[in-house]
Amino acid sequence: MAATAVRYLRSVGAPTTATGVPSPRPAHRPAPRPALRAVRDDERAPLDPAEFRSVLGHFASGVTIITAPGGDGPAGFACQSFASLSLDPPLVTFMVARTSTTWPRISRAGVFCVNILGAGQGELCRGFAVSGADKFAGVAYTAAPATGSPRLADVPAWIDCTIQAVHTGGDHLIVVGRVEALATDPSAAAAGPLLFHRGAFGRLDPSV
């Protein structure tokens, strides 16, 4: 039994003396915080992350700012991973990194407003893409009618939602929202949408 115990202690890395008796435990040192692991090693595809981003960057998308009210001030972040999901019931979805510091504030609010950006709102988008700054400084907005989330001024369209479900998708969360109210601003929409393609903003060519 003693030999079996020694073999077990050695197999798990526990130090032993020459007599086989476990050595006194060293002073406790806190283990380092583990890095965020979204998937196991055996689930990871053999892809270079830089190549992954480069290839998927060829898919042009619209750009939005997701906003929510809060007791300590409104929250918001720039988001290009927005899409419609269902007509009946009316659902939309967006994706947010699990490491986002803004998402917990939106999650606590339980509601959000999708502000769809127009062609001339690249600087507004950049302001909401930074971390740690007062993103709403100098930004005009009113309360969306159903949830009170910030509805940014002069956006071509907005969609006011309550959070219906949140699913894990690798290193991101997939947020599903139920649409409570929505509208467009025809004058703001006349300039066309703000597009994002291969790391840069663009706009539609009206001649095409």
Side-chain angles (χ1 to χ4, degrees), residues 119-204:
Q121 295 180 309
E123 285 304 313
L124 179 63
C125 178
R126 290 186 183 93
F128 278 83
V130 299
S131 179
D134 181 3
K135 301 176 184 179
F136 287 86
V139 176
Y141 63 89
T142 57
T147 71
S149 300
R151 183 178 62 184
L152 305 184
D154 301 322
V155 295
W158 55 269
I159 307 162
D160 197 15
C161 307
T162 55
I163 295 176
Q164 174 151 317
V166 181
H167 308 283
T168 300
D171 56 9
H172 276 59
L173 298 173
I174 304 166
V175 182
V176 178
R178 185 177 183 111
V179 179
E180 307 294 346
L182 74 172
T184 62
D185 179 344
S187 61
L194 180 66
L195 299 179
F196 191 75
H197 178 249
R198 300 185 68 181
F201 293 125
R203 63 176 66 200
L204 289 176

Side-chain angles (χ1 to χ4, degrees), residues 89-103:
L91 302 176
V92 296
T93 184
F94 69 87
M95 277 63 81
V96 60
R98 287 166 57 181
T99 54
S100 168
T101 57
T102 302
W103 165 247

